[in-house]
Amino acid sequence: MSDYNFAYLDEQTKRMIRRAILKGLAIPGYQVPFASREMPMPYGWGTGGVQVSAATLTPADTLKVIDQGADDTTNAVSIRKFFEKTAGVATTEETGAASIIQTRHRIPEEDLREDQILVYQVPIPEPLRFLEPSEIETRKMHSLEEYGLMHVKLYEDIAKHGAIATSYAYPVKVEGRYVMDPSPIPKFDNPKMEMAAIQLFGAGREQRIYALPPYCKVVSLDFEDFPFEASKADHACDMCGATDSYLDEVIMDDSGGRMFVCSDTDYCTGRRQAGHIGAQAAAASAALEETAV
Amino acid sequence: MNTEVLKGGFGNAPVDAAYAFRAAMNAMACPGTVEVLQGAQPPAPVSVAAGTLLLTLCDPDTPLHLAGDFDCEDVRAWVSFHIGAPVVAAEFSMFALGSWEALAPLSRFAIGTPEYPDRSATLIVEQEVLAQEGMALRGPGIKDSVTMSLPETEAFQMNAMLFPLGLDFFFTSGDQVSALPRTTKVEVA
Ligand SMILES: [Zn+2]
């Protein structure tokens, strides 16, 4: 017996998580309870996603970790280092080179393949939680497909704002059955959830795992007269010129200068390396150089 | 104790189980695909793939049903030594292992409850061969449709009608595994 735990978790814990993942894949969108373990990082850092990744990784994997689309945040870097150390896996920042991608708050712009797995860090897995605080009640509502309140809430948005105001964690219905929280991704990403890769969701504090097999039917809730719209800033990326990517607004200087940049940094880098140039690319590099000095 | 029993576990459990789980997960996520599953050397009549599944997914927390010929002294001893799963009657099992004929009638197995549909049995069905021809499968995990040989059609159609309740199946033969979750719609091709 060795005292070394591959990917940090002990074998019994991994078996328990693996069983939950399989049931999650067999019942898409249903939240499977699991006994979440203490991880050597705070809950806000995606312990649910980390446990799912730990139970899924093999030594042959190449792992990518993104936080709001970026690979270089403290959170993403520390999770990547954690698995380099405990599982000996290779890591990458390239979406196409990764076999497992753990994410917080984004889906990569590049289409994922059948041989890839996307693991989401989920803070609040229950889409009905803000309508009904009781777990016993929400479980009953899911069992009875009682989703009327959710539609009422979205409709109230329309009445109040003239549109559905929910722009993150926009609820979806999976295979015509379970209403699911896609985690706090922008609703721009919702249509990408019908993808070729396996999607696994882990909520550590709330102790839930759920999953979407490839090509699973995922429909954003909407109304006939107010159809769902995968909106984003009406702008092109100022760095790479992309018009099809989700953008972050970045403040450039004290005088209020700002620009729009792809939130998916690997996508933006790839496009710039391929020669695409955005409207403010030259100015932005100059500004960056200045800060570097 | 028969010393043969001591053999046949994973050589390097954490790594062998990690690869085995990925094969099992890919099979369950993409019904109809055939994956290789290796690592265990279980006693007859258990296949390498079925033994590897048991080592990967079962432990003292997962009551196991051994059906028909699979409920024999050698298999019980191997399960007891390597896995520690309590061997139970069909109705109390989380996992079950046997031939299709021996696992019948399926109505004995737990299909979950409306609030906890995950509390359902997973059946490991040993087959002579796994062939990607026969019935047409559609549903989550399948791009359009795939074909796969199944021991019968009606049982899987009935099972799918129970959704979100129902049973989930692994099919094993030699070192190969495929799977069929409750979401898969089965039709005669
Ligand atoms: Zn860009």
Side-chain angles (χ1 to χ4, degrees), chain A residues 237-242 245 247 261-262 267-268 271-272:
Chain A
C237 172
D238 284 319
M239 293 294 285
C240 76
S245 67
L247 303 171
V261 181
C262 293
Y267 184 72
C268 200
R271 280 182 53 84
R272 290 198 316 263

Side-chain angles (χ1 to χ4, degrees), chain A residues 8-262:
Chain A
Y8 185 78
L9 295 172
D10 63 89
E11 290 308 292
Q12 192 173 359
T13 298
K14 278 185 278 187
R15 277 193 297 271
M16 178 264 298
I17 293 171
R18 287 166 177 161
R19 293 193 295 263
I21 291 173
L22 291 180
K23 286 299 174 192
L25 286 165
I27 317 165
Y30 164 76
Q31 301 163 52
V32 185
F34 82 110
S36 182
R37 294 290 188 259
E38 289 284 331
M39 297 302 283
M41 55 193 79
Y43 273 124
W45 284 41
T47 56
V50 168
Q51 290 178 80
V52 167
S53 292
T56 308
L57 279 169
T58 74
D61 274 311
T62 302
L63 176 72
K64 172 182 164 83
V65 182
I66 46 170
D67 182 4
Q68 311 263 18
D71 301 79
D72 58 359
T73 71
T74 315
N75 187 326
V77 170
S78 70
I79 291 172
R80 208 158 55 228
K81 283 203 176 128
F82 174 76
F83 284 119
E84 278 172 355
K85 204 170 101 187
T86 60
V89 294
T91 56
T92 183
E93 296 192 3
E94 270 176 60
T95 300
S99 53
I100 298 191
I101 301 169
Q102 182 172 325
T103 179
R104 174 174 174 270
H105 299 189
R106 274 313 310 277
I107 296 176
E109 303 292 354
E110 189 178 322
D111 283 344
L112 299 187
R113 304 181 307 262
E114 284 185 7
D115 60 348
Q116 293 180 304
I117 299 168
L118 185 59
V119 177
Y120 295 76
Q121 301 173 200
V122 183
I124 302 163
E126 179 49 75
L128 306 170
R129 180 63 69 232
F130 64 96
L131 300 167
E132 172 53 66
S134 154
E135 169 68 19
I136 296 170
E137 287 305 316
T138 52
R139 215 156 251 287
K140 204 175 287 168
M141 289 160 77
H142 282 293
S143 78
L144 299 169
E145 284 184 81
E146 218 180 85
Y147 296 130
L149 269 181
M150 182 61 102
H151 280 95
V152 169
K153 147 65 169 105
L154 291 174
Y155 212 86
E156 278 172 359
D157 261 17
I158 295 168
K160 230 185 281 172
H161 310 284
I164 295 176
T166 307
S167 52
Y168 291 88
Y170 190 103
V172 295
K173 197 167 203 180
V174 178
E175 286 290 326
R177 180 57 182 82
Y178 285 101
V179 168
M180 187 190 97
D181 184 322
S183 87
I185 56 172
K187 68 177 176 180
F188 173 80
D189 283 344
N190 274 24
K192 294 188 207 154
M193 298 186 96
E194 290 192 350
M195 64 164 74
I198 295 173
Q199 296 170 80
L200 305 175
F201 301 77
R205 191 181 45 223
E206 305 266 338
Q207 315 208 72
R208 295 288 181 275
I209 286 170
Y210 50 104
L212 298 172
Y215 313 113
C216 201
K217 213 172 145 208
V218 181
V219 177
S220 302
L221 299 183
D222 66 356
F223 303 94
E224 237 167 76
D225 40 348
F226 285 94
F228 172 81
E229 242 182 293
S231 54
K232 69 176 207 47
D234 187 16
H235 209 280
C237 172
D238 284 319
M239 293 294 285
C240 76
T243 53
D244 58 354
S245 67
Y246 191 71
L247 303 171
D248 286 335
E249 196 177 345
V250 183
I251 307 294
M252 292 302 289
D253 50 46
D254 296 341
S255 53
R258 60 199 184 116
M259 60 189 285
F260 289 93
V261 181
C262 293

